Amino acid sequence: MLYLVGLGLSSVEDITVSGLKAVKQCSRVYLEHYTSILMSASQAELEEFYGKSVTLADREMVESGCEEILRGANSEDVAFLVVGDPFGATTHTDLVLRAKQQNIPVKVFHNASVMNAIGACGLQLYNFGQTVSMVFFHETWRPDSWYDKILANRKIGLHTLVLLDIKVKEQSYENMARGRLIYEPPRYMSISQCCEQLLEVDEKKSIKAYTPDTPCVAVSRLGSPTEAFKAGTIQELANYDAGEPLHSLIILGSQCHELELEYLLDFCDDREKFKKDVAKDREYFKPEPVMIEEDPEEEEE
C-alpha cells in the first residue's frame, strides 16, 4: 500500500491520528521536500516522533525517479508525507496515477493546507477565485502568465490567493549547465518581493488587473504559533518586513463583504485609510450600466 499522508502546516503534532498510525506501520517513509516545508519541525524531530527513519524526497526524486518511492509498495507499506494536504500540488496526483498503473493500492490521509486555512484571515473561502503562484524573477526570465488569472478573478470581484515561491535544493543556471551537483542555499520569497514583482509586471500591461493602491492581505507563517496577518495596499506591502517564512498574499476582490472588511481592519495600520482603499477599489471593475433599448414597435403604439 502507498500511503499519502498530509502533515498539516506547522508542527509534528499536526498530523491526524489515522495518518500517524499509518506512518508507524510503514517500512519506508518519504518526506516531500520542495513544494513546502513544515515550519516548526525538523527532519530529526519527525523521525523521533514517528519512530521511523525519514528520507527527504526532492523534486528530482518525485517527478523523475518516483520508482524509488513506489518500489515494493505492492507488497509492503510505504508512506509519502506531504506538508499541508497531499493534493495541494499536481505532482502528487501524478504519483497516485503512476501507482495505479502498477496496481499499487493507494490510501490518502487529508489534512489542513493553505488552501483552506487561509480563511483564518477573515475572508470567506467561497469568495476566492483561481489561485496563482509567484516565482522568483531572474534577469532573463520574468514570467507573467499568472497575471491573466488575477485579471479574471478581479473582473468578477473574487479574491486571489498568491502562493510565494520557495527554492529548496535548487541549482544555479551555471552549475546546471556545467553538470555540477552544487545546490544553492534555500530561499523563500518575501511579501515585499512578491509585491515588487506584481508592480513591475503591472507597469507593462495595457489592461490593468490591479493598481498600486489595490488592497491586499499579507499572510505569514499560517498555522504556526507566530501566524501573522497584515492588511494594506500592494504599494504599502512592498515595504513590509513580514519576518520569517512561509508567506502568502491575498489580492482582494471587489465583492469583499462588509463582515470580511470588518475582520481585516484589525490587521491595518490605518483603519480609515484601508476602508477608503477598499471603497475606491470596488469602483475599479464596476460593471457598466445596462442600457435597455426601447422597442420601436412599442413606440409606434
Side-chain angles (χ1 to χ4, degrees):
M1 176 81 74
L2 173 66
Y3 293 112
L4 269 70
V5 184
L7 300 185
L9 295 169
S10 178
S11 166
V12 294
E13 296 179 348
D14 287 348
I15 190 173
T16 63
V17 174
S18 55
L20 180 59
K21 288 180 179 178
V23 171
K24 286 183 174 292
Q25 71 183 44
C26 288
S27 56
R28 285 181 288 125
V29 179
Y30 296 90
L31 172 62
E32 189 263 75
H33 192 60
Y34 63 93
T35 61
S36 190
I37 59 169
L38 204 59
M39 290 177 285
S40 303
S42 65
Q43 179 183 356
E45 289 170 328
L46 289 174
E47 291 178 330
E48 181 180 358
F49 189 72
Y50 303 147
K52 297 278 183 179
S53 175
V54 175
T55 300
L56 296 182
D58 59 18
R59 185 186 298 274
E60 183 178 359
M61 175 184 285
V62 178
E63 294 185 349
S64 303
C66 69
E67 293 308 312
E68 163 61 23
I69 298 171
L70 298 179
R71 173 179 51 84
N74 51 3
S75 59
E76 61 182 337
D77 291 328
V78 178
F80 183 71
L81 312 180
V82 181
V83 176
D85 186 82
F87 290 129
T90 53
T91 297
H92 311 136
T93 305
D94 181 64
L95 180 62
V96 171
L97 289 173
R98 293 187 186 215
K100 289 182 176 180
Q101 289 169 1
Q102 299 180 34
N103 295 316
I104 296 172
V106 178
K107 184 172 178 57
V108 179
F109 296 90
H110 294 285
N111 211 319
S113 75
V114 65
M115 302 298 288
N116 53 23
I118 199 68
C121 72
L123 297 178
Q124 299 166 6
L125 293 180
Y126 51 77
N127 281 341
F128 280 81
Q130 301 177 83
T131 297
V132 303
S133 297
M134 178 67 71
V135 301
F136 284 107
F137 283 0
H138 300 283
E139 291 183 6
T140 58
W141 188 62
R142 311 178 89 76
D144 60 5
S145 58
W146 43 264
Y147 194 89
D148 289 340
K149 292 183 179 180
I150 295 177
L151 179 60
N153 289 344
R154 295 267 295 158
K155 280 185 174 179
I156 56 177
L158 298 179
H159 312 313
T160 303
L161 172 60
V162 184
L163 302 178
L164 276 55
D165 200 8
I166 73 169
K167 297 291 186 186
V168 179
K169 199 179 179 183
E170 299 279 342
Q171 293 176 274
S172 67
Y173 287 136
E174 180 182 355
N175 287 330
M176 191 181 301
R178 296 178 180 273
R180 298 185 298 208
L181 292 178
I182 301 174
Y183 299 101
E184 300 293 297
R187 289 192 297 153
Y188 307 94
M189 183 179 288
S190 66
I191 293 293
S192 59
Q193 184 170 2
C194 174
C195 290
E196 288 170 0
Q197 293 185 182
L198 284 169
L199 294 172
E200 176 186 324
V201 171
D202 184 63
E203 288 182 358
K204 302 174 183 177
K205 298 291 184 177
S206 56
I207 301 176
K208 301 295 185 178
Y210 49 82
T211 74
D213 295 326
T214 294
C216 294
V217 184
V219 182
S220 301
R221 299 168 298 281
L222 183 64
S224 78
T226 60
E227 174 182 274
F229 305 101
K230 185 73 168 182
T233 65
I234 297 177
Q235 187 64 67
E236 290 168 346
L237 294 178
N239 300 304
Y240 170 55
D241 182 357
E244 295 296 314
L246 297 169
H247 306 293
S248 302
L249 182 76
I250 304 165
I251 302 173
L252 260 64
S254 60
Q255 289 191 39
C256 184
H257 191 274
E258 292 303 321
L259 289 177
E260 293 178 299
L261 176 57
E262 183 179 348
Y263 205 104
L264 294 180
L265 291 178
D266 284 342
F267 310 136
C268 300
D269 287 335
D270 187 332
R271 297 166 68 97
E272 293 305 315
K273 180 182 181 301
F274 190 75
K275 285 181 184 179
K276 292 178 181 178
D277 290 334
V278 170
K280 179 181 177 182
D281 192 66
R282 282 176 175 159
E283 300 294 318
Y284 194 65
F285 284 115
K286 188 174 181 179
E288 295 182 4
V290 178
M291 303 298 293
I292 302 177
E293 297 184 4
E294 295 183 0
D295 189 336
E297 294 183 1
E298 291 183 1
E299 289 183 354
E300 292 178 3
E301 292 178 2

